[in-house]
Amino acid sequence: MQSARRWVVTLIAGLLLSSGVTVWGTHHAQAEPSYAEWGRVAVLEAKKKYNAEITDYKHIGRKTLRDHVYEEQFKLIVKKPAEEFGVYVNVRFNEDTGELLNISYKEAGNHQE
């Protein structure tokens, strides 16, 4: 009887852990992607540039430009009262210093691209 109870408790604990439920004060936080900080910069700067809301964004990828200098590319959806369109935003930065070097924008022909 004792081993059956232990087996049931082990089974329940395993199911709870595998389902992502926090058990006994443990919490497995998901790490933020490396591009998240630059995604926030892209969204904030595009909001200012277009004086509009950004309704969605997608990380396209990262390019290495030279030692410690990278460029993250995002596609944002810009929404104004009369229109909605896509914009590619490239954020260039120095990874060692965290310095923002440049932001460039290119409007997409269709936000469904």
Side-chain angles (χ1 to χ4, degrees):
M1 184 71 173
Q2 186 75 347
S3 70
R5 180 194 281 178
R6 193 173 302 152
W7 183 83
V8 170
V9 169
T10 303
L11 177 66
I12 291 171
L15 289 171
L16 289 173
L17 286 172
S18 67
S19 68
V21 174
T22 302
V23 178
W24 298 294
T26 61
H27 181 58
H28 302 286
Q30 221 175 16
E32 190 173 62
S34 61
Y35 60 81
E37 174 185 358
W38 301 110
R40 286 189 289 274
V41 170
V43 168
L44 289 172
E45 294 301 316
K47 281 175 90 168
K48 285 192 261 183
K49 177 177 176 55
Y50 291 98
N51 192 28
E53 286 191 49
I54 307 302
T55 59
D56 198 10
Y57 92 93
K58 177 182 179 183
H59 179 246
I60 303 296
R62 174 185 273 206
K63 284 193 249 181
T64 303
L65 302 176
R66 59 183 183 274
D67 285 345
H68 313 291
V69 177
Y70 298 91
E71 186 173 82
E72 296 282 7
Q73 184 179 47
F74 302 90
K75 184 173 184 186
L76 282 56
I77 304 301
V78 178
K79 185 172 183 176
K80 291 186 163 198
E83 63 181 324
E84 185 176 84
F85 54 95
V87 174
Y88 290 99
V89 180
N90 295 318
V91 180
R92 189 173 293 182
F93 60 96
N94 181 309
E95 189 169 56
D96 282 353
T97 64
E99 178 186 8
L100 174 64
L101 301 174
N102 184 47
I103 297 180
S104 62
Y105 307 87
K106 181 181 177 194
E107 292 183 21
N110 179 344
H111 77 273
Q112 298 299 321
E113 286 181 5

